[in-house]
Amino acid sequence: MSALPFIPFTRPSFDQATIDAVGEVLRSGWVTSGPKLAEFEAALSEYFGGRPVRCFANGTATMKIALQVLGIDEGDEVITTPISWVATSNVILGVGAKPVFVDIDPITRNIDLSKVSAAITPKTRAIMPVYLAGLPVDMDQLYALAKQHNLRVVEDAAQAFGSQWKGQKIGAIGDLVSFSFQANKNLSTVEGGCLVFNNLDEAKLAEKFRLQGLTRQGMDGMDVDVLGGKDNLTDVNAVIGLHQLKQLPAFQTRRSNLARQYFDVIRAEMKSAGIEDLQLELPPENFTESNWHMFQIILPLDQLNVDRAQVMTALKDLGIGTGVHYPAITGFTLYKNLGYQAIDTPTAERIGRSILTLPLFPGMTDGDVPRIAQGLCGILKKHRKN
Ligand SMILES: *Cc1c(COP(=O)(O)O)cnc(C)c1O
């Protein structure tokens, strides 16, 4: 084991002002959805250029409600990617619809938009792209496709808070855009999420879905006209989000600088270790559009005599935490039992088997990235074949 401090693959940053603000909400006498939620939703709406925004208990509920707002249910198909947190396709199944998986682009690791048209059927209602590690898809191409085939889009932008497309914020453009504020995300409310809309009618419908389908008229006029759930965000979470929003520019700068350092240091370490021939498939060096939610490499398993789990264990022994985001959803038992096969999307299958997330979070110190790159390259050198 390493004598150096353990570096987790991610860690949230909450400052003292945030902690104090949580204390204030707890002492205020109103702790669930109330004034802080309204303030947070207004701040988010301003951030997204004035579009309506509603918050929910988590990103999963946010995506589920997006599908409910669109009336997607049994008999409908939704096109998505196999490389995502399983929540993405679980919510599609959850409303009774069928996820249709399209293979990914090996460079961006996002859904390959050039393959979407071939997957569209008369039952297709929506496309649900995922911006893995915070890198958006080609939004021009996405919305041209949606327009051409008359489809709605639910962007799973869970990892893309702070990302951009051609100078515009993800969430400030597009159809329904869903974010997660889970603990690991770039902006966190511990748990939470928000959905960005283009019109108030859909925002109002989402409000009903998040609270039992309730409508209110006057002091005493309570009615329920759709089947809603209990997916509201509390003021405790909302006040954390308000403080995170203030810190976001600093978080972003730090993430971006750490990502740049990764490219430089990994390349230098590979050279000095004499392993430049190993293909790590570093992510696209996109510093204008990605929010650097994660820094992911693809392990050259064909060139190594160890598997991913062994590389992760060796890194852990050096005090370096890593993660897998994600194995192809189509390989999970639930999905296999539904008839999906990982080999139907071969690029997703390969990437899902070999992708590795290295530590990246604003609280990392300057020495962390060189330490991680050195550790990684040492392991790769030791375990390369022949
Ligand atoms: C985090 C995440 C979600 C779900 O968010 P929760 O807040 O954990 O429910 C969905 N999709 C992706 C890609 C995510 O990373």
Side-chain angles (χ1 to χ4, degrees):
M1 283 308 264
S2 173
L4 294 164
F6 185 76
I7 311 169
F9 87 84
T10 190
R11 181 193 284 149
S13 300
F14 299 118
D15 64 6
Q16 191 57 47
T18 310
I19 296 165
D20 293 345
V22 167
E24 255 174 63
V25 171
L26 293 178
R27 280 188 296 267
S28 74
W30 191 275
V31 293
T32 187
S33 307
K36 290 296 172 194
L37 174 63
E39 204 181 319
F40 186 39
E41 287 180 338
L44 288 168
S45 178
E46 193 187 327
Y47 178 84
F48 292 122
R51 298 180 71 189
V53 178
R54 294 296 181 274
C55 290
F56 304 91
N58 52 65
T60 307
T62 304
M63 296 191 297
K64 175 195 72 180
I65 287 174
L67 296 177
Q68 290 177 322
V69 164
L70 299 185
I72 290 172
D73 55 21
E74 246 147 273
D76 294 334
E77 294 179 359
V78 179
I79 292 175
T80 192
T81 165
I83 298 294
S84 181
W85 177 227
V86 69
T88 312
S89 54
N90 277 354
V91 297
I92 300 172
L93 289 176
V95 297
K98 180 185 167 191
V100 174
F101 295 102
V102 166
D103 208 356
I104 61 166
D105 173 313
I107 309 289
T108 65
R109 299 142 195 189
N110 286 328
I111 189 168
D112 185 342
L113 292 175
S114 73
K115 295 188 171 140
V116 167
S117 289
I120 294 172
T121 76
K123 293 177 177 174
T124 309
R125 294 282 315 280
I127 311 174
M128 219 166 158
V130 175
Y131 308 148
L132 194 72
L135 183 70
V137 296
D138 183 320
M139 303 293 276
D140 298 338
Q141 201 183 346
L142 171 66
Y143 280 96
L145 262 170
K147 195 172 171 203
Q148 188 191 342
H149 298 277
N150 198 21
L151 301 174
R152 296 295 299 261
V153 177
V154 177
E155 299 179 31
D156 179 353
Q159 302 185 359
F161 202 100
S163 300
Q164 303 202 355
W165 173 252
K166 294 187 175 171
Q168 287 184 289
K169 293 184 185 97
I170 292 302
I173 50 172
D175 195 354
L176 293 178
V177 190
S178 172
F179 293 93
S180 164
F181 304 137
Q182 188 265 343
N184 293 345
K185 303 298 178 357
N186 287 29
L187 183 147
S188 172
T189 61
V190 179
E191 298 284 359
C194 79
L195 191 59
V196 190
F197 304 85
N198 279 317
N199 67 71
L200 270 177
D201 288 346
E202 291 188 347
K204 296 264 183 226
L205 185 54
E207 265 177 51
K208 279 203 282 189
F209 280 119
R210 85 177 161 188
L211 202 66
Q212 315 292 3
L214 201 66
T215 62
R216 279 180 199 280
Q217 253 155 18
M219 286 295 280
D220 188 22
M222 187 191 289
D223 193 16
V224 172
D225 60 359
V226 296
L227 177 58
K230 180 72 166 73
D231 295 314
N232 56 305
L233 189 77
T234 77
D235 269 19
V236 177
N237 302 105
V239 82
I240 297 172
L242 281 164
H243 281 264
Q244 289 266 294
L245 206 47
K246 285 185 206 154
Q247 294 171 270
L248 192 74
F251 288 166
Q252 271 319 120
T253 304
R254 184 71 183 138
R255 282 182 179 276
S256 185
N257 289 340
L258 289 163
R260 278 183 202 278
Q261 200 189 358
Y262 261 122
F263 285 107
D264 293 345
V265 176
I266 287 178
R267 287 186 180 126
E269 272 307 318
M270 286 184 78
K271 200 167 182 183
S272 73
I275 53 166
E276 289 150 291
D277 58 309
L278 294 182
Q279 301 298 320
L280 290 191
E281 301 180 55
L282 297 182
E285 286 180 76
N286 186 329
F287 287 93
T288 53
E289 282 158 4
S290 178
N291 68 356
W292 296 101
H293 173 59
M294 297 190 281
F295 192 92
Q296 299 179 294
I297 60 166
I298 311 296
L299 289 175
L301 294 178
D302 291 349
Q303 296 170 285
L304 302 176
N305 58 27
V306 282
D307 62 17
R308 178 170 60 190
Q310 288 168 305
V311 173
M312 293 174 79
T313 303
L315 281 164
K316 192 167 173 237
D317 290 342
L318 297 175
I320 298 163
T322 52
V324 173
H325 306 92
Y326 300 91
I329 292 170
T330 41
F332 292 145
T333 302
L334 171 72
Y335 287 83
K336 283 198 287 193
N337 289 346
L338 290 170
Y340 295 99
Q341 295 190 82
I343 47 156
D344 290 343
T345 50
T347 305
E349 192 280 329
R350 179 182 73 84
I351 301 260
R353 195 161 32 82
S354 40
I355 198 163
L356 187 70
T357 305
L358 301 179
L360 180 57
F361 54 92
M364 277 169 72
T365 64
D366 286 340
D368 287 344
V369 170
R371 191 183 137 197
I372 294 159
Q374 248 167 45
L376 175 70
C377 290
I379 292 163
L380 296 177
K381 187 183 169 86
K382 185 171 163 199
H383 293 289
R384 71 183 300 169
K385 276 184 187 160
N386 68 58

